[in-house]
Amino acid sequence: MTFGYSLAMFILMAVIGAGVAGNVTYDGRSLIIDGQHKILFSGSIHYPRSTPQMWRSLILKAKSGGIDVIDTYVFWNIHEPQQGQFDFSGRNDIVRFIKEVQKQGLYVCLRIGPFIQGEWSYGGLPFWLHNVPGIVFRTDNEPFKYHMKRYAQMIIKLMKSENLYASQGGPIILSQIENEYGMVGRAFREEGKSYVKWAAKLAVELETGVPWVMCKQDDAPDPLINACNGRQCGETFKGPNSPNKPAIWTENWTSFYQTFGEETLMRSAEDIAFHVALFIAKNGSFVNYYMYHGGTNFGRNGSQFVTTSYYDQAPLDEYGLLRQPKWGHLKELHAAVKLCEKPLLSGLRTTISLGKLQTAFVFGKHADQCAALLVNQDKNDSTVKFLNSSHLLSPKSIIVLPDCKNVAFNTAKVNAQYNTRTREPRQILSSPQMWEEYTENVPSFSETPIRSESLLEHMNTTQDTSDYMWQIFRFQQPEQAASILKVNHVGHVLHAFVNGRLIGSMHGAFKAQRFLLEKNVTLINGTNTFALLSVMVGLPNSGAHLERRVGGSRSVKIWNGKQALYFNKYSWGFQVGLQGEKLHVYTDPGATNVQWKQYRDSKNQPLSWYKASFDTPEGKDPLALNLGSMGKGEAWVNGQSIGRYWVSFHTSKGSPSQIWYHIPRSFLKPKSNSLVILEEEREGNPLGITIDTVSVTEVCGHVSNLHPSPVISWRRKGHNRNERRHLKHRYERRPKVQLQCPYGRKITKVLFASYGTPNGNCQSYSLGSCHAPNSLAVVQKACLRKSRCSVAVWSKTFGDDSCPHTVKSLLVHAQCS
């Protein structure tokens, strides 16, 4: 049988069995699929945070990265935005998403909640649920349980009708009910405990034919599996609450979500790999990365203060590009663990102390089926002896020995390349002739449709139909006077207008949402009108008694130089939303409902709408809207919201939390795309907006001769003689720098190459004291005009060794075009 024929047959059999599970059970070691114990790596990809046109590519890249399972929440509020009205179209088509996962040969973990948190507005609960009489969320409350049960039954029925459960031959092998209830359960006391039991009973009664989990729920009732969420579950997880349940990690945070005004919390590939390997060493068998691809909070779906870009530092970034070295390092980890799968699942584990903070976890029944993970918890290097061999362990690291002898993977040694992501302006909208503008009028008291003798709460009034609510009152002033306006506000942003003129704005922060707006005002003789625009930047998404959360102005008073006038109990007028929203001016039909004027390059007015047209840049690179010149608002492309922006809210380092906003190519037409911007602040300048392409243009590798060889080199043992001959060069067991450009690009220039002791790393480097003079020539010969290449970190590759007995490395930085 030829190598090509055997490879074709392997691919054919993989396709035939793609995404089909069958019987799924579990024991104290792992999930069992069709009678086989499995170690599974999972990645969270949320269908509404990307587009159907992106799903296949995202899933394939996850699969290529060694992912076995795609994990997703089910988002109640997008599927039932109004009670009894359902939406499973477009980005909401969960069935299409799951079938795409199945088509690509992966399993699915379905987390139905129905409360999900997930930095999603209102934690995924539809706002109409808030209005159900007598309801208390997430406790032993009959109204809530009625609607939760009804929704869960509807989702499960939909999945069954499409034969998507493993018990039906589908890809769903695991489900989750509720989400991180352990964080709030104490607030509900006994009612919380009974609710957990009820939710577990509901899950079992839904008869999916697959196991159920509860995360952060140490007392998850049988047969539900209690699972861990966090960054360090190898250290923090108490373990399954029964010896008959496997250790499952439902959320391994690959970075952390970002809020406006805060810096991104970075997490290194080495740290993630260390904690995954530690969890596996302690009998963990299922690890889900949250997120594997974060994506975009389109529209108004992000929760309070959360940026539109979600988990951009995940292994697949917001645009679906590989985030290196995170993606590649984890791919190597997954491959190394799979080499150990039989010993790991044998049921026999021995723990051996190798030092004060060094431990060997040894798995397997026989010498010919032995795997070991050697762990160094120390912050310093440590040399340990294991089975008559010495191993140098880096600080806070784990090495994987699939045969208990040779190192296949080291969590602290990154073989994967580093990528540089660049953005290039392709459409520059800098001409005033390109733009039209329409400015909102501040409504008068007589125009407000809602009246009250007291201040109204923001969320109850808007019902989540808009971020904006006008609060207007008027009073008579007998003479002109310099005064002070004071507004205590709970929420996110407040703009204050007096007699139609903006006098000031103020906002809170994610961790400090109460604030006092205090401004000097000049009152006129006669009627003075005060208009307060309350703005929410997403609804809350977590915590006990979510249904009780409030927002908006809590008290308003004016000191007119003689006395303080309080207006809490007063005649107020309210208007939900802006006029432009009501008229849908961000759509082509709605834009005809207002009179647009030619943009004037002058001091802008607050609450202005800007409209322009642009052609779609050629190529397939992802696109982003550069809003670095704007302040705060929302953007629409061809009537579809690409999310809220808040460029003017700077971090402590003085930079915006997010400048670029993803425009999916599926939103676009070849020509004449409509761009509409709602700008709240007067400083926003649309002439600085550009449409940029996003791409990986540079790759870099930095590998020493102490690094393990790529894990793929271990696969030679599994090939026959013809295959070994074909793969000999590629699978040679030596450390290598491996570079690969994105699809459609090739290496056109080697920017730096040094074999020896180069200083620095891929971010900043220089020649060291030891350098092979032919480094550049060797790398150019191996890599130029190729989409991928590898160069062995070996003295024979570069000729004479000018500095023997020295640990040497190869650092290569190349340009992709």
Side-chain angles (χ1 to χ4, degrees), residues 351-362:
T351 304
I352 303 171
S353 175
L354 302 178
K356 186 176 181 181
L357 293 171
Q358 295 77 36
T359 309
F361 295 89
V362 187

Side-chain angles (χ1 to χ4, degrees), residues 519-578:
K519 294 293 179 181
N520 294 322
V521 298
T522 299
L523 301 180
I524 62 173
N525 181 7
T527 302
N528 290 268
T529 300
F530 287 75
L532 307 177
L533 183 61
S534 175
V535 187
M536 297 287 283
V537 187
L539 300 186
N541 76 315
S542 62
H545 295 292
L546 192 61
E547 74 283 345
R548 297 182 188 175
R549 300 298 177 86
V550 297
S553 302
R554 312 311 298 156
S555 68
V556 178
K557 68 178 180 179
I558 295 174
W559 172 257
N560 64 6
K562 298 179 180 178
Q563 60 180 330
L565 305 174
Y566 291 87
F567 294 93
N568 294 7
K569 301 293 184 180
Y570 201 74
S571 180
W572 285 87
F574 297 87
Q575 176 181 300
V576 174
L578 303 176

Side-chain angles (χ1 to χ4, degrees), residues 778-789:
V778 170
V779 173
Q780 286 176 331
K781 182 178 179 181
C783 297
L784 280 180
R785 295 177 294 281
K786 296 179 182 178
S787 60
R788 66 172 69 188
C789 66

Side-chain angles (χ1 to χ4, degrees), residues 106-161:
L106 302 184
Y107 300 127
V108 172
C109 174
L110 193 67
R111 306 172 73 184
I112 70 165
F115 170 82
I116 61 170
Q117 189 165 326
E119 295 69 62
W120 193 260
S121 191
Y122 222 42
L125 300 178
F127 196 83
W128 58 260
L129 200 66
H130 171 94
N131 301 322
V132 173
I135 199 164
V136 181
F137 295 167
R138 305 177 68 202
T139 188
D140 195 358
N141 170 267
E142 291 304 321
F144 181 75
K145 291 193 299 182
Y146 168 80
H147 286 284
M148 174 174 168
K149 181 177 181 179
R150 177 189 58 81
Y151 174 73
Q153 287 175 331
M154 185 268 292
I155 292 297
I156 301 305
K157 182 178 179 181
L158 175 63
M159 298 297 108
K160 288 181 178 179
S161 70

Side-chain angles (χ1 to χ4, degrees), residues 330-498:
L330 295 178
K331 176 181 180 176
E332 288 280 286
L333 168 64
H334 304 153
V337 170
K338 289 301 176 77
L339 289 172
C340 310
E341 192 165 26
K342 285 185 179 179
L344 286 172
L345 295 173
S346 67
L348 184 65
R349 184 187 72 169
T350 305
T351 304
I352 303 171
S353 175
L354 302 178
K356 186 176 181 181
L357 293 171
Q358 295 77 36
T359 309
F361 295 89
V362 187
F363 299 82
K365 298 179 179 179
H366 311 289
D368 60 347
Q369 191 182 99
C370 177
L373 286 83
L374 309 188
V375 180
N376 181 20
Q377 295 272 19
D378 202 343
K379 295 180 180 179
N380 301 304
D381 286 334
S382 178
T383 299
V384 299
K385 275 242 176 188
F386 175 70
L387 297 184
N388 300 319
S389 294
S390 292
H391 297 278
L392 176 63
L393 303 181
S394 303
K396 201 76 173 178
S397 71
I398 299 175
I399 60 174
V400 180
L401 292 73
D403 56 3
C404 284
K405 298 176 184 177
N406 299 291
V407 178
F409 182 80
N410 186 329
T411 63
K413 303 291 186 184
V414 176
N415 279 331
Q417 70 181 17
Y418 292 74
N419 281 357
T420 301
R421 188 175 69 179
T422 60
R423 299 176 177 90
E424 180 184 353
R426 297 290 296 277
Q427 294 280 338
I428 300 173
L429 308 178
S430 58
S431 171
Q433 286 70 41
M434 293 180 171
W435 290 95
E436 295 178 286
E437 64 180 342
Y438 157 69
T439 301
E440 289 273 333
N441 291 321
V442 178
S444 65
F445 180 85
S446 61
E447 293 173 322
T448 55
I450 304 170
R451 301 295 170 83
S452 173
E453 293 304 311
S454 61
L455 286 164
L456 297 180
E457 194 274 323
H458 185 115
M459 289 186 288
N460 276 326
T461 307
T462 63
Q463 294 289 299
D464 194 30
T465 59
S466 173
D467 286 350
Y468 303 95
M469 181 181 73
W470 287 104
Q471 309 163 104
I472 299 173
F473 71 99
R474 58 189 179 184
F475 76 101
Q476 298 294 318
Q477 171 70 15
E479 58 186 3
Q480 183 171 323
S483 304
I484 300 173
L485 170 69
K486 293 185 178 183
V487 183
N488 278 297
H489 197 78
V490 178
H492 306 158
V493 182
L494 184 67
H495 303 295
F497 297 80
V498 176

Side-chain angles (χ1 to χ4, degrees), residues 636-655:
W636 290 261
V637 173
N638 292 331
Q640 299 195 65
S641 173
I642 61 171
R644 302 180 180 101
Y645 67 88
W646 199 350
V647 178
S648 62
F649 192 177
H650 288 189
T651 69
S652 59
K653 295 181 180 179
S655 59

